[in-house]
Amino acid sequence: MFINRIVSVYLRFFFFGFAIWMVAFYFLFSTPITAVTPQDLPPLKAYPLPETLAQWQDPRNSGDYFDEIEVQDVGYLIWSHFPIKVYVESSDNDESRSRQWVKTVVDAIWEWNIYLPLQVVDNPEVADIKIFKKRPPLTPGKLRARSAETRYQLDRDENGILSHNFVIWLSPMQVGKYLPAAARHEFGHALGIWGHSPEKTDVMYYSQVAEPPPISSRDVNTLKKIYLQTTRIGSKFPFSSDN
Ligand SMILES: [Zn+2]
């Protein structure tokens, strides 16, 4: 009897302790919940289509993959100031190899310039999108870094306006035709295509393919549809003081 009681008390404490550990573990490793709620954010707003996209026509009606695009709390990840400023950096010691890498990447992303105006800048501090020759950072819970990755960050600028900027990491392991393919694809994310196409013939197909395609009509149709949506980015926070 006495032993049974000790065992039962022990088990009770054991499970209690275990539960506390589980809760602690959950809070330690779950994604932090941001304090910003949609009510605190600027209102949703639609911008007129940039002229370059307004001019785009697809007589063959190739369709789009707009349904695959994720909407964020801030709405669609739309740019409203053009040209979009891009900074490209290679940390290579060999200067000519470094220059070649930057050229390959700039040439690849420049294919988007027909649809949204871009400008390459020398100063990373003024850039909207920064591209680095670097292995993407490890994500908690994932054992292997990806070969290319794009992340965005939200900011409140000095005028109390919600702004966003992107960082793209392209692994030094990406060579040959895969480097421009990865640059073209990741840059599509940074222009606001925050999702993937289910079709191999689109730049935004979710996986790397043996013969990387150029920007397709479906890619541009999707981009155009995204730029017809609303966003909180580019607008002023409510009750914001300008100090
Ligand atoms: Zn992707």
Side-chain angles (χ1 to χ4, degrees):
M1 275 304 261
F2 183 65
I3 298 285
N4 275 353
R5 224 181 124 168
I6 290 177
V7 169
S8 120
V9 167
Y10 172 80
L11 279 178
R12 226 174 288 166
F13 274 100
F14 178 79
F15 281 113
F16 185 64
F18 187 68
I20 288 178
W21 268 111
M22 286 300 284
V23 171
F25 195 77
Y26 173 79
F27 279 106
L28 271 176
F29 291 98
S30 62
T31 342
I33 299 153
T34 51
V36 179
T37 60
Q39 293 99 286
D40 300 326
L41 291 169
L44 284 168
K45 185 180 163 183
Y47 289 89
L49 261 185
E51 213 175 300
T52 40
L53 275 182
Q55 282 168 359
W56 163 255
Q57 300 293 338
D58 174 22
R60 286 162 64 201
N61 287 321
S62 333
D64 58 64
Y65 46 90
F66 179 73
D67 289 346
E68 305 294 326
I69 306 306
E70 284 175 42
V71 199
Q72 312 295 295
D73 283 343
V74 292
Y76 286 85
L77 301 173
I78 294 172
W79 294 103
S80 53
H81 288 95
F82 300 98
I84 302 165
K85 298 188 184 76
V86 192
Y87 173 78
V88 186
E89 186 188 287
S90 160
S91 47
D92 227 302
N93 288 331
D94 180 324
E95 206 181 303
S96 88
R97 219 169 50 190
S98 195
R99 230 179 299 128
Q100 187 52 48
W101 189 90
V102 170
K103 188 184 179 308
T104 304
V105 170
V106 169
D107 284 350
I109 64 164
W110 210 252
E111 293 168 29
W112 289 103
N113 180 58
I114 315 167
Y115 312 108
L116 289 174
L118 308 174
Q119 182 193 354
V120 174
V121 294
D122 292 333
N123 179 3
E125 278 172 37
V126 301
D128 299 312
I129 302 170
K130 294 190 267 285
I131 305 177
F132 296 107
K133 180 180 183 178
K134 213 171 180 188
R135 245 175 69 181
L138 278 172
T139 318
K142 298 227 171 87
L143 289 175
R144 231 160 50 99
R146 294 157 60 178
S147 54
E149 194 170 339
T150 302
R151 291 188 193 177
Y152 74 90
Q153 212 179 7
L154 297 169
D155 204 8
R156 179 193 172 129
D157 75 7
E158 64 274 19
N159 300 315
I161 287 170
L162 175 64
S163 69
H164 72 327
N165 60 78
F166 283 86
V167 177
I168 297 174
W169 294 275
L170 299 172
S171 166
M173 306 296 277
Q174 296 269 24
V175 289
K177 60 187 171 188
Y178 296 110
L179 173 60
R184 207 182 287 122
H185 175 100
E186 297 303 323
F187 203 75
H189 286 316
L191 292 179
I193 311 180
W194 205 245
H196 287 114
S197 162
E199 288 187 22
K200 277 186 178 159
T201 46
D202 299 328
V203 159
M204 300 312 288
Y205 182 61
Y206 59 82
S207 183
Q208 216 160 47
V209 292
E211 282 312 316
I215 298 169
S216 69
S217 298
R218 286 166 43 85
D219 288 318
V220 188
N221 289 343
T222 306
L223 186 70
K224 186 169 179 174
K225 215 159 175 179
I226 290 168
Y227 275 76
L228 286 167
Q229 310 304 313
T230 55
T231 186
R232 299 179 197 279
I233 298 166
S235 294
K236 215 167 180 167
F237 277 89
F239 320 114
S240 60
S241 54
D242 287 341
N243 46 20

